[in-house]
Amino acid sequence: GQNIDQPTEMTATEGAIVQINCTYQTSGFNGLFWYQQHAGEAPTFLSYNVLDGLEEKGRFSSFLSRSKGYSYLLLKELQMKDSASYLCAVRVESTLTFGKGTMLLVSP
Amino acid sequence: DVKVTQSSRYLVKRTGEKVFLECVQDMDHENMFWYRQDPGLGLRLIYFSYDVKMKEKGDIPEGYSVSREKKERFSLILESASTNQTSMYLCASSHTVSGANVLTFGAGSRLTVL
């Protein structure tokens, strides 16, 4: 079976930095994805890691350690609009298995 | 931009009714997927399809079937709706972005079964 764990909720302050962790135990691994989902909307693609290390894309960065089964999403210079659910997903063969998501609340 | 369109945003059905959820993508993608999303359970894969007339079971296929008669259209069918199928249903198609096979989701269909 597949198991993907991430915290249920996090809170942070506008302008701060927040790190959302994800650990996984899966039967295979073809890449790790992060999606953002605002309330009432569809998930949208944020980042992808298939090799160990850090991928940076503007205010968002994602890190992967395959040996540890661990990833994190780092959000810098937080804005109110970053309040959303962040979904970690692992590709096993040709399908994506999602974690339950981390609800991030950014306060002024 | 890839566009994935789900025909119904909100539906209310009665127990035992047959329900069709339609999904159309406009980018000639091979792969299409149906997920359901429930609070505390996250996104779970119901069925997916690699090509016309091809279908594969996901993690929770029981109580559902699918149809892919044309490449752009992937339908989810609830043969006899039950209350535990009340959920948000998300359709997606996949394409490659910088080497990553990325899912693009439709806006979702919120189904309530009474």
Side-chain angles (χ1 to χ4, degrees):
Chain A
Q2 325 294 0
N3 190 42
I4 301 173
D5 287 319
Q6 49 182 131
T8 304
E9 291 182 355
M10 297 182 72
T11 58
T13 306
E14 198 174 12
I17 299 171
V18 71
Q19 177 175 311
I20 303 174
N21 295 324
C22 172
T23 58
Y24 62 91
Q25 300 94 36
T26 56
S27 56
F29 182 84
N30 287 332
L32 188 138
F33 294 75
W34 285 95
Y35 282 77
Q36 180 190 57
Q37 186 177 25
H38 285 101
E41 298 182 11
T44 55
F45 169 70
L46 280 180
S47 71
Y48 168 70
N49 296 72
V50 66
L51 300 176
D52 290 353
L54 190 68
E55 294 283 340
E56 296 185 81
K57 193 187 291 186
R59 292 189 299 115
F60 293 5
S61 304
S62 57
F63 172 82
L64 174 67
S65 169
R66 288 172 296 170
S67 63
K68 296 181 179 177
Y70 168 69
S71 173
Y72 67 72
L73 180 69
L74 192 71
L75 292 77
K76 302 176 186 174
E77 301 169 16
L78 280 172
Q79 301 175 9
M80 299 296 290
K81 67 178 182 180
D82 297 329
S83 290
S85 185
Y86 291 85
L87 313 178
C88 174
V90 174
R91 179 170 294 283
V92 180
E93 295 182 358
S94 54
T95 63
L96 272 187
T97 299
F98 285 84
K100 294 181 172 62
T102 299
M103 180 69 70
L104 174 65
L105 178 63
V106 180
S107 57
Chain B
D1 278 354
V2 176
K3 192 168 182 183
V4 179
T5 304
Q6 295 182 231
S7 56
S8 303
R9 194 80 170 93
Y10 299 94
L11 303 95
V12 179
K13 299 292 181 181
R14 295 202 176 275
T15 300
E17 280 193 81
K18 190 168 186 175
V19 182
F20 291 88
L21 299 179
E22 303 286 342
C23 175
V24 176
Q25 50 96 0
D26 65 357
M27 288 297 289
D28 201 36
H29 291 158
E30 303 286 340
N31 303 329
M32 297 187 73
F33 305 81
W34 275 105
Y35 287 85
R36 63 177 284 178
Q37 186 172 33
D38 301 286
L41 295 177
L43 279 158
R44 294 178 291 165
L45 181 63
I46 305 171
Y47 266 97
F48 59 103
S49 170
Y50 290 125
D51 204 348
V52 175
K53 297 196 186 295
M54 303 289 287
K55 60 183 179 182
E56 298 283 345
K57 292 181 180 178
D59 299 317
I60 51 162
E62 296 79 18
Y64 303 94
S65 62
V66 290
S67 172
R68 185 118 183 248
E69 296 297 318
K70 293 185 177 182
K71 195 173 187 179
E72 68 270 19
R73 188 178 298 270
F74 191 36
S75 303
L76 181 69
I77 303 156
L78 289 67
E79 294 288 343
S80 178
S82 62
T83 55
N84 63 13
Q85 292 178 310
T86 291
S87 186
M88 171 67 86
Y89 291 89
L90 290 162
C91 175
S93 70
S94 69
H95 62 295
T96 301
V97 176
S98 300
N101 204 244
V102 173
L103 292 183
T104 296
F105 288 89
S109 298
R110 183 166 293 282
L111 172 67
T112 301
V113 183
L114 302 175

